[in-house]
Each structure stands twice: as structure tokens, then as C-alpha cells.
Amino acid sequence: MLLAAWLLSACGEVNLLDETKLRDTSLITGDPCEAPCWRGIIPDETSYRDAKLIIEGDDRFKIIEEPDPQEGSPARSFTFAEGENPGCCQVVSRDGETVSSFLLQTAPVMTFGPLYDRYGEPDYAIAQQASDEQGYVALMYTERSLVVYAFVPNPALGSLSTASQIIGTLYLGESEQRQLLECTSLFNWAGFASFSAYSGEAYDYVGEGVGDETACPTN
């Protein structure tokens, strides 16, 4: 699932409240720019080269991986970390020229209440359980092409609340958001509801391409 795969490590114990991830509160403060901008990087506007220069020019960050493009594909990406911590964040360009999306996995230094006060209600939500003790709700703000991930402990009994800790953000270009909406099933925002209210298969919204492997390939 487009909204889930990035948070689940391939091996080892899952820890969604990871203090080694990016310590950043700019989504709430709006400093130095507000969503869909982050540190001057804007999907569909900022070139891949300029995004690299922004990260390389900030002493807080270090690019730790930039795979060679696959044969026949112009797509490029790089992963960066804060200080000596493990990688937290990834910038992607589908055409190799312009940033199409970027993901920030964040330490739990923000909560959903101030973000809700600043941006209002999200349009869609969907819950994902990572373990018996940990889950999150992905909250989609279509006007800002933004997905915010809010932590929910004990998913079987837990609920989304203003105190829910933010553990990541996904900034999308127009085509990336369009593909996400086409290929994902979601729930309409129903307020600060239980984790279970945003899980299961009784979706309010089903993308037109769901189930079409040509339009929405699984790999």
C-alpha cells in the first residue's frame, strides 16, 4: 500500500516512535516555508539537482545513499540522514529532473493538535497496524498534496487524538497525488475516532484504478 510500506522495516523490531529520525517541527511552525514546501523544496517545482544542493548545503544533513538509475528509467532518488543517525528521509524524481515527492520520517516531536489547528481537517484517513502495540493513521490533505502519519498506541483499543504524535510526512507532486488517489482505498475524515474506524474494508472512497494491475502495479 502506498501509504504504509515506508514505515515497516524489512527486518528487526518495529519502533514507530523513533528518536533517531528527523527532529523537525516546520510543518507546524511554517519556518522557513509551509507545506507543500519544506526547506525550499517543493514537489513539481524544485529540480532534483537543487534539492540535493539544499540538503548538501545544510550541516544538519548528510546524503547516505543515491542508487544508480535503473536501466531504461530516468527516475532518481537519494536518502539522507540527520547527523550520524540512520537514514530518515528520501527525495524522489520520477523524470530525473524535477522532485516528484519526498518523505520525512520524523521523531515524535510534534502532535496532531497544533497541526489540526493550523491546517484544519484532513480529507481522508486510513489506519495501519504495525504491531500489537503500535499503529498509525495516515491523514491526507489533498489541497496541500500532503500525507501526515499520526501514531496510535494499542491499535485494538486506541484512538486518534490531538495528542497523537506525528511520525512522518509525505509531500507529493500533482501526478503522485493523482496516482495515490487512483490506486488507494480510503476513509472520509470522521473526526478523532477510534483506530478501528479508519481500518477494515468498509471504505468511503475507492480509487478508480484499485485492482487494475496495469494502472496500479503492485511492484
Side-chain angles (χ1 to χ4, degrees):
M1 189 178 71
L2 289 174
L3 295 177
W6 66 278
L7 274 173
L8 304 181
S9 58
C11 59
E13 184 178 352
V14 174
N15 177 23
L16 299 185
L17 297 178
D18 190 342
E19 295 288 348
T20 71
K21 299 304 184 185
L22 180 66
R23 302 188 70 81
D24 184 270
T25 59
S26 62
L27 189 63
I28 291 173
T29 65
D31 182 26
C33 58
E34 66 176 28
C37 171
W38 180 78
R39 294 189 172 272
I41 303 174
I42 305 173
D44 288 347
E45 294 187 21
T46 306
S47 72
Y48 181 80
R49 176 181 179 276
D50 285 348
K52 278 190 66 180
L53 290 174
I54 289 171
I55 298 303
E56 290 173 336
D58 191 320
D59 292 340
R60 289 178 58 196
F61 306 127
K62 178 174 65 176
I63 294 177
I64 60 173
E65 185 179 16
E66 186 176 14
D68 293 331
Q70 294 184 358
E71 185 176 354
S73 171
R76 304 176 67 186
S77 68
F78 66 85
T79 300
F80 65 95
E82 185 174 27
E84 298 303 317
N85 289 326
C88 63
C89 311
Q90 185 179 61
V91 176
V92 175
S93 171
R94 297 297 181 189
D95 63 5
E97 298 292 335
T98 305
V99 172
S100 52
S101 65
F102 57 92
L103 168 72
L104 309 176
Q105 289 179 276
T106 57
V109 293
M110 295 184 288
T111 57
F112 185 46
L115 188 147
Y116 182 85
D117 290 341
R118 185 177 184 89
Y119 296 107
E121 296 183 347
D123 299 290
Y124 300 110
I126 190 164
Q128 179 73 19
Q129 185 166 339
S131 69
D132 289 343
E133 295 80 26
Q134 300 179 81
Y136 63 89
V137 179
L139 304 158
M140 187 168 184
Y141 288 85
T142 56
E143 187 173 332
R144 291 184 179 268
S145 297
L146 179 71
V147 180
V148 177
Y149 300 86
F151 178 78
V152 177
N154 190 9
L157 300 174
S159 298
L160 183 70
S161 73
T162 56
S164 295
Q165 294 151 300
I166 302 304
I167 55 173
T169 51
L170 177 63
Y171 296 73
L172 300 163
E174 181 180 354
S175 62
E176 297 289 288
Q177 176 169 268
R178 186 167 58 248
Q179 183 183 35
L180 188 151
L181 288 171
E182 183 178 349
C183 298
T184 311
S185 298
L186 301 164
F187 296 88
N188 290 329
W189 169 249
F192 295 94
S194 67
F195 182 91
S196 60
Y198 292 120
S199 61
E201 297 184 358
Y203 305 111
D204 301 303
Y205 170 89
V206 178
E208 294 180 359
V210 171
D212 183 341
E213 293 186 2
T214 301
C216 304
T218 55
N219 296 320

